C-alpha cells in the first residue's frame, strides 16, 4: 500500500512539473495586434501563453519561473468589471488582472537566431481602474530558453494614472507605446521568452488591470554564425601502424554562434584522432561555448594509422548554427613495423696486384637497423683477409658481436694473390636476426703488371719544337727497361703507331722528351710510355699546337677635320709580331694617308718592313692630307711575317672647304637716301675670300641672298665697308655683312638703320659746290602732287638742264648728274609746276 502511495505521489509531482506550457518560438520580424480577440476567444495566438506565478504581489516584479498555465478568459462585457485575477480577451488586446495572492502573466516566445540588437514595441493601456484606488505597474521581462528566472527589461514599465474610473465594458485608458531594446544576452538565441507581469506601486483597494496590443519584435541586425581556425596541421610523416604520433594543434574560434550555451563538434577522419585537452582522444570531441562568441581554443590532432599507406582527410568542425562544416586538412603515412636489415657499402676493387704482394687495406661498412642481438658474421673468400681496424689482425673471417638495434662497423680488407689469375668473388655477410645473408663483391687479380704512366703537359712550344713530359706512377711488377713519349699528327693514334722520342732523364718518376722538326700552326697528339717485363703501357693522349706567326696592332687616333690640301699629324700606331717568319711586314695604302717609320721621316703611301722573324715591334707614323672635302675613313691593312691573318687598322679623317664667316657691323653717315655700312670677315675659312660686302632689304628677316648686294673692295685687315645710295628718305632698311670663297658664302646677323627725313624747309640742295660729272641731290617739302620740272639756269639765265617729274606724294627727293660739259660757276635750280615755282643757287666746280 505504501508503494502505491509513493508512485501516486510521484505521478502527481510529475503532472505538476508538466503543468506549464512553453509557447512555440516565433520567427522574426514578428507583429501581433490581437485582431482575433473579439471578446469570445478561448485560445492564445501562436507563440503566446498565459501563466500563473507562485507568490503574492509586491512592490517588485516577480522573477520566478511560471507555476502553471492560465486559461484565457473571454467575455465582452465583464473584463473591466472583474475584480478577480485573470488573463483574457480584451477585444483587440490581451489583458491581465492580479490579486494579492494570485499573480497572472502572459508570455510571447521568439526565435532570435542570427539576429542582434532586437527591439520590442507594444501599446500598453489601463484596462481597469477605480478612482482613488491602487496604482500599479506592468513591466516586461525576458529569459533565455524555457527554464530559470526572468530578468526585468529596463524602460518597459507602464503605470496607470488613477484619474478616472474604468469598470465597465472592454475599453482602455491612457494608452502608451513602449519601445525597448533587449539585452545582448537575447541575441542569436533559439528561444527567448518575453513575459508581462504586475507589481504594486501605491495606494490600496481594488488593483488595476492592464492590456497590451500592437506588439512588434523587429529582426534587429541579422548576423551569420561563423567558425574559423588558425594554424595548420603539418603532414605527420611516417608512423608505424598501431602507434600514435605526437599531437599537433590548431586554434578554433567562433562569432555569432547560436544556441548558447552549446557545443561545437570536432570529428576526425579515419586513422586520425582529436582531443580538446591533449589527454582524452577519440574519433570526435566537443568544444563548449557559453555565449555567441567562442574565444580562440586549442584543438589537438594525432595520427593513429590502422593500415599502411598514405592517409589524408579533413577534420570536420560543425555546430553553433554554422551552415557548412569548417575543414582542417590532415595527412600522414602508415608504415609497417620495421624488420631487421643489414646493408653494406661497396668494396673498392683491388685491380691487378703483383703475385705474392699484399694490397690494401680497402674497406666496406656494414650498416644494420632493427637488429636482434645475434652476432654479425663476415665469411671467407680466397685471397682476402679481414679486420675491424686498419692496423689490426687480419683473419679469413669475422664474427662480430653487437647489442641489437642500429649497428655500423667498418671492415678492412687486404688482398694477397698467390697466382696470376682472377680473384673476383663475393664476401658473405649475415646475422643480426636477418632472414638471409647478402654478398659484398670483391675484385682483384694476381698479375705481372706493366708500368703505369701518366702523360704530362707540353712546354717550350715554338713553331718547330716542344718539350713533352710524363710520369711513371708505378713501375709495375718488374723493373722499367724503356720509357719516353710517342707523338703523331693523328688524333687517337694507336699505341705504337706514332713517332717515339725515348727519354733517359727520369727523376722521381718524372721524365721529359724534346722533339723538333715540327710544322708551325699544327696540332700534335702525344702519350707517355714505359716498358717492363710485363709489357708496355701508355698514358692518356694529350695534344699541343705549335706556335703561329701572329700580328697585332694598336689603334690609330682619328685625325678629325682638315682643310683640303692641308696636312695633319703625325699620329701613330704600333705593330707587334710574335713567332713571325722572316717575310716582310707590309702596310697597305689608304687614300689621304701616308706613312713613315719615324715622326720626321719620309712619308709614303705604303710601307714594306724587313724583320728577322720571331718577335717584332714597329711604330708606324701616319699623316693625313685630304685632297678634297669629304670623308677619308678606311682600314690600313697590315700583313706579312708569315701570319695568315690580315689586320685592319682604322684610319679616320675628314676634308673640309669651309666658307669665311662674316660679322655685320654698324651703320654710319646715314642721310635721307644713303648710308655707309661696315662688316668684318671673322674667319677666313679654307680659301681666300672672293667676294664680300653688304646685302640689304626693306624686309625684316629677309633670306640670305634675297636682298640687294653691294660688293665692297676696301678690305683692310678683316674689316670692310660699303656705301648705299638711292634710298628712300625716312625708311627703315635691314642689312647683313656677307663673305664668300670657294667653299661658299656666309652671312652675319641682320642689323637695321633708318634714313633721315626731308627737311621741313623748302628747296634744299645738298653737297654744294658740286663737281662736274657728279650728282646733285635736292629735296622739296610741303608741295601738292602733280607734274613738276627741275630746271638748271646759268648765271646768264639760260636753261642748261631740265628733268620732268611726276610727284605723287607731298615732297620731292631726287637727284641727277651734272654734265661734265657744263662749266664751273654759279647756277640756280628751279622747281616749277603750272601753279608753283621755287629757285635756289648753287656752285659747280
Amino acid at each position: 500500500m505504501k508503494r502505491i502511495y509513493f508512485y501516486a505521489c510521484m505521478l502527481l509531482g510529475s503532472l505538476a512539473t508538466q503543468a506549464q506550457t512553453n509557447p512555440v518560438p516565433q520567427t522574426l520580424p514578428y507583429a501581433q495586434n490581437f485582431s482575433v480577440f473579439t471578446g469570445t476567444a478561448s485560445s492564445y495566438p501562436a507563440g503566446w501563453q498565459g501563466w500563473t506565478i507562485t507568490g503574492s504581489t509586491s512592490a517588485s516584479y516577480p522573477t520566478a519561473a511560471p507555476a502553471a498555465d492560465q486559461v484565457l478568459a473571454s467575455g465582452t462585457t465583464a473584463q473591466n468589471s472583474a475584480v478577480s485575477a485573470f488573463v483574457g480577451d480584451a477585444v483587440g488586446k490581451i489583458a491581465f488582472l492580479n490579486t494579492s495572492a494570485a499573480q497572472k502573466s502572459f508570455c510571447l516566445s521568439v526565435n532570435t537566431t542570427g539576429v542582434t540588437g532586437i527591439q520590442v514595441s507594444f501599446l500598453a493601456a489601463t484596462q481597469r481602474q477605480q478612482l482613488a484606488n491602487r496604482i500599479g505597474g506592468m513591466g516586461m521581462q525576458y529569459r533565455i530558453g524555457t527554464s530559470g528566472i526572468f530578468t526585468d527589461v529596463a524602460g518597459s514599465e507602464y503605470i496607470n494614472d488613477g484619474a478616472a474610473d474604468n469598470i465597465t465594458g472592454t475599453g482602455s485608458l491612457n494608452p502608451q507605446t513602449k519601445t525597448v531594446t533587449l539585452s545582448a544576452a537575447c541575441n542569436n538565441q533559439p528561444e527567448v521568452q518575453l513575459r508581462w507581469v504586475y507589481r504594486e506601486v501605491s495606494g490600496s483597494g481594488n488593483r488595476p488591470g492592464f492590456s497590451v496590443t500592437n506588439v512588434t519584435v523587429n529582426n534587429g541586425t541579422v548576423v551569420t554564425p561563423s567558425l574559423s581556425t588558425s594554424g595548420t596541421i603539418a603532414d605527420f610523416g611516417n608512423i608505424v601502424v598501431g602507434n600514435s604520433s605526437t599531437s599537433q594543434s590548431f586554434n578554433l574560434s567562433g562569432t555569432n554562434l547560436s544556441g548558447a550555451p552549446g557545443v561545437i563538434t570536432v570529428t576526425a577522419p579515419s586513422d586520425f584522432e582529436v582531443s580538446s585537452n591533449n589527454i582524452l582522444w577519440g574519433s570526435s570531441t566537443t568544444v563548449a561555448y557559453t555565449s555567441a562568441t567562442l574565444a580562440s581554443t586549442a584543438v589537438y590532432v594525432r595520427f593513429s594509422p590502422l593500415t599502411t599507406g598514405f592517409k589524408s582527410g579533413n577534420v570536420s568542425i560543425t555546430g553553433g548554427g554554422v551552415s557548412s562544416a569548417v575543414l582542417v586538412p590532415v595527412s600522414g603515412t602508415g608504415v609497417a613495423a620495421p624488420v631487421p636489415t643489414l646493408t653494406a657499402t661497396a668494396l673498392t676493387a683491388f685491380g691487378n696486384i703483383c703475385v705474392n704482394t699484399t694490397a690494401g687495406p680497402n674497406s666496406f661498412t656494414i650498416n644494420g637497423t632493427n637488429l636482434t642481438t645475434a652476432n654479425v658474421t663476415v665469411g671467407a673468400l680466397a685471397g682476402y683477409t679481414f679486420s675491424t681496424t686498419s692496423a689490426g689482425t687480419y683473419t679469413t673471417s669475422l664474427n662480430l658481436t653487437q647489442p641489437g638495434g642500429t649497428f655500423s662497423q667498418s671492415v678492412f680488407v687486404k688482398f694477397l694473390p698467390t697466382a696470376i689469375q682472377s680473384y673476383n668473388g663475393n664476401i658473405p655477410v649475415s646475422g643480426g636476426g636477418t632472414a638471409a645473408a647478402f654478398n659484398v663483391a670483391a675484385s682483384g687479380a694476381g698479375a705481372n703488371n706493366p708500368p703505369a704512366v701518366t702523360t704530362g703537359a707540353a712546354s717550350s712550344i715554338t713553331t718547330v719544337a716542344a718539350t713533352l713530359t710524363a710520369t711513371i706512377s708505378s713501375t709495375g711488377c718488374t723493373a722499367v727497361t724503356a720509357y719516353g713519349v710517342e707523338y703523331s699528327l693523328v688524333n687517337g693514334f694507336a699505341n705504337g703507331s706514332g713517332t717515339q722520342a725515348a727519354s733517359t732523364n727520369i727523376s722521381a718518376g718524372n721524365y721529359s722528351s724534346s722533339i723538333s722538326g715540327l710544322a708551325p700552326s699544327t696540332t700534335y697528339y702525344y702519350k707517355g710510355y714505359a716498358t717492363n717485363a710485363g709489357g708496355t703501357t701508355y698514358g692518356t693522349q694529350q695534344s699541343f699546337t705549335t706556335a703561329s706567326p701572329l700580328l697585332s696592332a694598336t689603334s690609330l687616333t682619328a685625325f678629325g677635320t682638315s682643310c683640303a690640301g692641308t696636312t695633319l699629324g703625325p699620329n701613330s700606331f704600333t705593330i707587334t709580331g710574335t713567332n713571325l717568319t722572316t717575310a716582310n711586314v707590309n702596310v697597305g695604302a689608304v687614300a689621304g694617308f701616308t706613312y713613315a717609320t719615324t715622326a720626321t721621316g719620309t712619308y709614303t703611301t705604303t710601307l714594306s718592313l724587313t724583320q728577322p722573324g720571331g718577335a717584332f715591334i714597329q711604330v708606324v707614323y701616319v699623316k693625313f692630307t685630304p685632297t678634297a672635302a669629304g670623308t677619308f675613313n678606311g682600314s690600313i691593312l697590315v700583313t706579312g711575317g708569315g701570319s695568315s691573318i690580315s689586320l685592319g687598322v682604322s684610319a679616320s679623317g675628314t676634308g673640309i672647304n669651309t666658307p669665311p664667316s662674316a660679322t655685320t657691323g654698324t651703320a654710319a653717315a646715314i642721310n635721307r637716301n644713303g648710308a655707309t655700312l661696315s662688316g668684318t670677315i671673322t674667319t677666313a675659312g679654307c680659301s681666300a675670300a672672293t667676294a664680300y660686302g653688304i646685302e640689304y632689304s626693306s624686309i625684316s628677316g629677309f633670306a640670305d641672298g634675297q636682298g640687294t648686294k653691294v660688293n665692297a673692295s676696301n678690305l683692310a685687315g678683316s674689316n670692310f665697308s660699303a656705301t648705299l645710295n638711292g634710298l628712300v628718305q625716312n625708311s627703315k632698311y635691314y642689312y647683313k655683312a656677307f663673305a664668300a670663297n670657294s667653299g661658299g658664302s656666309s652671312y652675319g646677323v641682320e642689323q637695321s638703320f633708318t634714313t633721315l627725313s626731308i627737311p621741313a624747309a623748302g628747296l634744299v640742295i645738298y653737297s654744294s659746290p658740286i663737281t662736274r660729272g657728279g650728282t646733285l641731290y635736292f629735296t622739296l617739302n610741303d608741295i601738292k602732287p602733280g607734274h613738276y620740272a627741275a630746271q638748271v639756269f646759268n648765271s646768264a639765265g639760260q636753261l642748261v638742264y631740265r628733268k620732268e617729274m611726276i610727284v605723287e606724294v607731298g615732297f620731292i627727293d631726287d637727284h641727277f648728274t651734272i654734265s661734265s660739259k657744263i662749266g664751273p660757276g654759279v647756277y640756280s635750280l628751279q622747281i616749277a609746276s603750272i601753279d608753283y615755282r621755287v629757285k635756289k643757287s648753287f656752285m659747280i666746280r
Side-chain angles (χ1 to χ4, degrees):
M1 189 66 179
K2 289 181 179 179
R3 180 174 297 177
I4 294 173
Y5 175 78
F6 171 77
Y7 286 131
C9 291
M10 290 291 289
L11 178 60
L12 289 173
S14 175
L15 290 173
T17 60
Q18 296 176 2
Q20 171 202 337
T21 299
N22 290 301
V24 176
Q26 302 297 295
T27 58
L28 300 186
Y30 175 82
Q32 179 61 261
N33 62 6
F34 294 99
S35 60
V36 297
F37 278 13
T38 59
T40 60
S42 59
S43 61
Y44 293 98
W48 290 81
Q49 180 62 48
W51 285 330
T52 63
I53 305 172
T54 301
S56 301
T57 58
S58 68
S60 299
Y61 291 115
T63 60
D69 290 346
Q70 174 64 43
V71 176
L72 181 69
S74 62
T76 58
T77 60
Q79 291 292 317
N80 294 347
S81 301
V83 294
S84 59
F86 72 90
V87 176
D89 170 0
V91 185
K93 305 176 286 293
I94 186 169
F96 66 51
L97 180 66
N98 281 251
T99 64
S100 62
Q103 298 191 99
K104 307 297 182 181
S105 67
F106 46 81
C107 170
L108 166 64
S109 179
V110 292
N111 182 344
T112 68
T113 299
V115 181
T116 64
I118 304 155
Q119 280 192 335
V120 180
S121 179
F122 59 91
L123 180 64
T126 302
Q127 196 63 31
R128 180 192 186 286
Q129 72 175 358
Q130 286 182 263
L131 186 64
N133 272 255
R134 291 181 189 267
I135 300 298
M138 176 179 65
M140 188 177 74
Q141 302 173 323
Y142 76 87
R143 75 175 177 183
I144 310 301
T146 59
S147 62
I149 65 173
F150 281 81
T151 300
D152 295 338
V153 177
S156 66
E157 184 173 70
Y158 170 84
I159 298 176
N160 66 300
D161 58 9
D165 285 335
N166 190 38
I167 57 175
T168 62
T170 58
S172 57
L173 297 177
N174 191 26
Q176 297 178 15
T177 297
K178 298 290 183 178
T179 301
V180 295
T181 300
L182 298 183
S183 166
C186 298
N187 294 341
N188 197 24
Q189 298 294 336
E191 183 167 2
V192 177
Q193 292 183 343
L194 304 176
R195 182 174 75 173
W196 283 263
V197 292
Y198 174 83
R199 78 176 181 91
E200 306 285 14
V201 176
S202 64
S204 61
N206 291 323
R207 292 172 174 78
F210 299 103
S211 65
V212 168
T213 190
N214 294 345
V215 179
T216 61
V217 184
N218 72 356
N219 63 356
T221 302
V222 177
V223 296
T224 302
S226 68
L227 290 170
S228 62
T229 62
S230 62
T232 57
I233 303 299
D235 184 88
F236 283 95
N238 295 335
I239 302 298
V240 175
V241 172
N243 293 279
S244 294
S245 70
T246 302
S247 67
Q248 299 184 55
S249 68
F250 62 88
N251 291 320
L252 173 66
S253 57
T255 57
N256 303 314
L257 301 179
S258 62
V263 294
I264 303 300
T265 300
V266 181
T267 304
S270 178
D271 297 286
F272 294 86
E273 294 180 306
V274 290
S275 172
S276 61
N277 58 9
N278 208 21
I279 298 173
L280 300 176
W281 295 89
S283 60
S284 66
T285 188
T286 58
V287 177
Y289 62 96
T290 58
S291 68
T293 299
L294 173 64
S296 181
T297 302
V299 176
Y300 301 89
V301 185
R302 71 182 184 183
F303 180 38
S304 303
L306 302 175
T307 58
T308 60
F310 178 72
K311 313 291 182 179
S312 65
N314 292 300
V315 175
S316 176
I317 306 167
T318 58
V322 175
S323 58
S324 299
V326 175
L327 304 177
V328 177
V330 292
S331 63
T333 302
V335 296
V339 296
T341 303
L342 280 176
T343 60
T345 59
L347 174 64
T348 301
F350 286 91
N352 295 328
I353 304 301
C354 296
V355 173
N356 298 317
T357 301
T358 299
N362 294 350
S363 67
F364 64 91
T365 300
I366 301 171
N367 294 299
T369 57
N370 306 306
L371 300 184
T372 67
T373 57
N375 287 359
V376 173
T377 61
V378 178
L381 178 63
Y384 299 91
T385 54
F386 313 105
S387 175
T388 56
T389 63
S390 176
T393 301
Y394 283 78
T395 58
T396 56
S397 64
L398 294 175
N399 192 20
L400 307 172
T401 60
Q402 47 87 27
T406 301
F407 171 69
S408 181
Q409 176 64 60
S410 294
V411 175
F412 296 88
V413 184
K414 288 185 176 181
F415 174 46
L416 176 60
T418 57
I420 299 176
Q421 64 178 43
S422 170
Y423 285 81
N424 295 346
N426 291 311
I427 303 168
V429 179
S430 61
T434 56
F438 70 94
N439 296 318
V440 176
S443 175
N448 184 10
N449 295 332
V453 180
T454 301
T455 306
S459 63
S460 303
I461 301 170
T462 68
T463 55
V464 295
T467 297
L468 310 178
T469 64
T471 300
I472 299 176
S473 56
S474 171
T475 59
C477 294
T478 57
V480 173
T481 56
Y483 58 91
V485 176
E486 186 173 317
Y487 64 95
S488 172
L489 290 172
V490 178
N491 185 8
F493 68 99
N495 294 339
S497 65
T499 301
Q500 288 192 344
S503 299
T504 59
N505 58 358
I506 193 166
S507 174
N510 301 314
Y511 63 89
S512 64
S513 296
S514 294
I515 58 176
S516 59
L518 307 179
S521 303
T522 303
T523 298
Y524 288 86
Y525 305 91
Y526 66 98
K527 311 171 186 177
Y529 71 89
T531 303
N532 71 0
T536 300
T537 55
Y538 290 80
T540 303
Q541 176 184 285
Q542 304 290 349
S543 67
F544 69 93
T545 300
T546 51
S548 300
L550 180 64
L551 284 174
S552 62
T554 60
S555 60
L556 175 64
T557 302
F559 285 91
T561 59
S562 177
C563 290
T566 302
T567 298
L568 293 181
N571 295 350
S572 66
F573 65 92
T574 301
I575 302 172
T576 301
T578 56
N579 302 312
L580 298 186
T581 67
T582 57
N584 287 0
V585 173
N586 301 308
V587 179
V590 175
F593 300 90
T594 55
Y595 320 109
T597 56
T598 63
T600 58
T602 301
Y603 283 79
T604 58
T605 56
T606 61
L607 290 177
S608 185
L609 307 172
T610 61
Q611 49 86 30
F616 171 70
I617 187 166
Q618 175 65 58
V619 177
V620 176
Y621 296 89
V622 185
K623 287 185 177 181
F624 172 48
T625 307
T627 56
T631 300
F632 285 80
N633 297 344
S635 182
I636 302 170
L637 292 181
V638 179
T639 60
S643 174
S644 60
I645 299 174
S646 296
L647 296 178
V649 178
S650 295
S652 175
T654 303
I656 58 174
N657 188 9
T658 56
S661 60
T663 300
T664 305
T666 58
I670 301 170
N671 55 48
R672 73 189 189 290
N673 50 27
T676 298
L677 309 178
S678 65
T680 302
I681 298 179
T682 310
T683 58
C686 285
S687 60
T690 56
Y692 55 90
I694 300 295
E695 185 173 321
Y696 71 96
S697 173
S698 60
I699 300 172
S700 175
F702 68 97
D704 295 343
Q706 297 300 307
T708 300
K709 278 188 176 180
V710 179
N711 287 321
S713 59
N714 58 354
L715 186 65
S718 60
N719 301 316
F720 62 87
S721 65
T723 300
L724 278 57
N725 292 306
L727 306 180
V728 178
Q729 62 89 27
N730 194 29
S731 297
K732 190 169 187 177
Y733 288 87
Y734 303 91
Y735 67 97
K736 310 172 186 175
F738 73 88
N741 67 4
S742 61
S745 299
S746 65
Y747 287 79
V749 177
E750 182 184 278
Q751 305 289 350
S752 66
F753 68 92
T754 303
T755 55
L756 300 180
S757 300
I758 294 173
L763 180 61
V764 178
I765 297 174
Y766 299 90
S767 304
S768 178
I770 298 169
T771 304
R772 288 179 297 170
T775 302
L776 184 146
Y777 290 91
F778 64 94
T779 61
L780 177 61
N781 208 347
D782 196 20
I783 62 173
K784 296 179 181 178
H787 179 229
Y788 290 81
Q791 301 167 323
V792 177
F793 298 92
N794 60 19
S795 58
Q798 296 172 319
L799 179 65
V800 298
Y801 178 80
R802 179 182 177 89
K803 180 178 181 180
E804 301 294 330
M805 297 175 291
I806 302 298
V807 178
E808 296 178 349
V809 293
F811 64 89
I812 295 174
D813 179 11
D814 209 340
H815 64 279
F816 56 82
T817 301
I818 300 297
S819 173
S820 60
K821 295 180 180 181
I822 296 177
V826 178
Y827 291 82
S828 62
L829 172 65
Q830 177 178 278
I831 307 299
S833 70
I834 192 169
D835 58 356
Y836 179 83
R837 192 177 304 275
V838 64
K839 182 182 288 186
K840 192 167 187 175
S841 297
F842 66 95
M843 291 290 293
I844 294 177
R845 61 182 179 187

